[in-house]
Amino acid sequence: MNESRQFTPELLEEVNRIVSLFPEGKQKSALIRVLHLAQAHFGHLDTEAMDYVARLLHLNPIEVYEVATFYSMYDTKPVGKVKLEVCRTGPCMIEGAEKLVSYIEQKLGIKDGETTADGLFTLKSVECLGACGYAPMLQAGESFHEHLTEEKVDALIEEYRANPVANYMGLK
Amino acid sequence: MSKKLLLEHIDVEGIRSYEVYRKQGGYQAVEKALKTLSPDDLVEEVKKSGLRGRGGAGFPTGMKWSFLAKPDGVPRHLLCNADESEPGTFKDRYLMEKIPHLLIEGMILSSYALGANQSYIYIRGEYMFVMRIVEQAIAEAYANGWLGKNIMGSGFDLDLAITPGAGAYICGEETALIESLEGKRGNPRMKPPFPAVKGLWQRPTVVNNVETIAAVVPIVNHGGDAYAAIGIGRSTGTKLISASGNINKPGVYEIELGLPVEEFIYSEEYCGGIKNGKRLKALIPGGSSVPVLPHYLVCKTAAGEDRLMSYESLADGGFATGSMLGSGGFIVYDEDQCMVRNTWNFSRFYHHESCGQCSPCREGTGWMEKVLHRLEEGHGTMEDIDLLWDIQRKIEGNTICPLGDAAAWPVAAAIRHFREEFEWHVRQPKLCLERNYGLVTEKKFEAQPA
């Protein structure tokens, strides 16, 4: 494994901090959060990344695989630098989530679930994000963008083009 | 006691920070409890308050606490369920984002009552930005001596941490939450044993919703009896309602239980009426899994009484003519909304979120989604409507956890109250696709050629 395929010393320190939140021997409880860190650091969770996390937490690789493939926020395949996740459930639908997805599809020239050729954006419609009163909305990185309009989406995409955010849970 | 108990200080500038929260009387409940109440006294106050679980099930909190097993030498845990994912629900996020110390104060009180020395808040992964806020507040609480060893010289120790999920509605089910907190897939466990006996790491565990735990703060401050005096009947206290859909003022509101539904929808203080001068078509009062109510059952019950925002009144008439208070995810639909499309949308949600453990749910949710999509797209038959009814009946009650019921109920209620609309999707598929199917359905379609 080359160096870029490992955590930085800061990240390793963060792993230790997370593990210390749980009793001795219960370090498996840190797995979900450490996988978020790994995904932010490596871009997505391929087998090599999952095996690395397994070694870090003294787990069997299968224990990591089954978690990484169960939860919807983890990507086991490459995704764009910025994931635009549009909520499509109930209240967001009646406030125009489908139109929003079509608009972004058109603007970026990709379909829902795809990544732009430059590897910058992935568009994904997702289930309820807990912003029902502020619909329609999308999540990018750790940020919620609410009460969206086409103009707001234009501005947002320009902003991220200039300054892409990492997906979820990098170090703060 | 004012009607606002949780959001009383929500508009105070900087209330998110420790200093401002403390200045507004924050952590006084902890001082009072640690100095004047034994853990059993505190459980007694919560019992007296009549507080019921605010996550959706409405189970009496004091009773839940009294079920906790206390074997010698085995640590016990309190877990806060902040995995808010029920479509229509965003109240816990609001509370944690705006006034995180209220939750922390509630966690200290509840942990003290239960004799738990290591407690966790499990928050959904998508609320990462909220987790940062709560984590900061936890650090402030440690720095000011409200967490850690020997809190306020009382001899009570408490460590508190917040930990994220990673995108799974099912982890809001308490045993799935426990599995997830152990670093596993969120597959619900068979019960018994119940978490109160064997929960986190096989230790006695209580899991409570964010709002439930926050409500313990005013209960301690004012006393259980004073809390019970608010509200109506067995629906005591206040409730956070997250209102969304076709209303003028969506958002989170704290209401005294017993408020008339009509007032909540139409008064300027709350939802401010239906948007664009449209008429009300339907209401889902407690999150996507509770039965939808047609407009004529929203403000009045079938018995002709005023429908109130309370556990009992919203459930009046059973599933035939009533619904549930649930999580307080209050979704309002105007006359232009299509109930078939909406039901399909929720079915897709439950299919996506089924953990796959039980066949009726794993297969049934996908099947319902497919049939509903067929109907919505204009390829359905009259038999499909009966088929849907049949599938939902075979899911309900036949799964390990309530996700199966949660997926079945909205389908059943939609067919029960809007069957005519499903039939129109078969008879007039093209028209239904072109224009949403409204309140006065017959009239809308009358003039159209077949």
Side-chain angles (χ1 to χ4, degrees), chain B residues 21 26-43 46 65 78 101-116 119 146-147 151 156 158 160 208 212-222:
Chain B
Y21 181 75
Y27 291 99
Q28 276 177 8
V30 174
E31 284 178 312
K32 179 177 175 183
L34 294 184
K35 282 185 191 144
T36 66
L37 298 173
S38 72
D40 286 345
D41 292 342
L42 215 166
V43 174
V46 171
W65 285 7
L78 169 66
H101 282 284
L102 184 68
L103 173 61
I104 295 170
E105 187 171 8
M107 284 299 283
I108 299 168
L109 294 168
S110 308
S111 300
Y112 175 68
L114 297 167
S119 299
W146 300 103
L147 289 170
I151 299 168
F156 174 61
L158 177 63
L160 175 65
N208 283 142
T212 313
I213 288 171
V216 177
V217 177
I219 289 171
V220 169
N221 276 329
H222 305 285

Side-chain angles (χ1 to χ4, degrees), chain B residues 281-295 297-298 319-324 331 333 339 342-343 346 409-418 422:
Chain B
K281 175 173 182 176
L283 167 72
I284 296 178
S288 62
S289 55
V290 310
V292 61
L293 292 172
H295 66 97
L297 290 172
V298 169
F319 278 8
T321 59
S323 183
M324 284 168 76
I331 315 172
Y333 295 90
M339 282 300 120
N342 187 65
T343 311
F346 285 141
W409 294 343
V411 174
I415 298 176
R416 189 180 295 122
H417 298 304
F418 296 96
F422 281 79

Side-chain angles (χ1 to χ4, degrees), chain B residues 154-203:
Chain B
S154 64
F156 174 61
D157 305 336
L158 177 63
D159 280 313
L160 175 65
I162 184 164
T163 187
Y169 168 73
I170 189 62
C171 292
E173 194 279 335
E174 61 179 10
T175 61
L177 185 150
I178 290 169
E179 287 284 302
S180 185
L181 229 163
E182 291 182 358
K184 302 176 195 157
R185 297 160 60 97
N187 285 350
R189 294 177 181 172
M190 288 289 277
K191 295 189 259 192
F194 287 90
V197 179
K198 284 187 173 174
L200 182 67
W201 304 311
Q202 299 297 307
R203 298 166 179 175

Side-chain angles (χ1 to χ4, degrees), chain A residues 21 29 71 98 128 142, chain B residues 120 124 132 181 184 341 345:
Chain A
L21 300 174
S29 288
Y71 295 92
E98 287 154 335
C128 187
E142 288 188 21
Chain B
Y120 296 96
R124 65 179 299 188
R132 306 279 192 197
L181 229 163
K184 302 176 195 157
R341 187 161 191 74
N345 182 287

Side-chain angles (χ1 to χ4, degrees), chain B residues 98-156:
Chain B
K98 302 276 180 192
I99 186 163
H101 282 284
L102 184 68
L103 173 61
I104 295 170
E105 187 171 8
M107 284 299 283
I108 299 168
L109 294 168
S110 308
S111 300
Y112 175 68
L114 297 167
N117 303 112
Q118 194 155 29
S119 299
Y120 296 96
I121 301 166
Y122 178 95
I123 189 165
R124 65 179 299 188
E126 295 90 338
Y127 283 0
M128 208 65 82
F129 63 102
V130 183
M131 190 183 88
R132 306 279 192 197
I133 292 167
V134 177
E135 203 156 47
Q136 167 70 27
I138 290 174
E140 288 174 341
Y142 267 106
N144 288 282
W146 300 103
L147 289 170
K149 294 258 175 271
N150 193 19
I151 299 168
M152 305 303 291
S154 64
F156 174 61

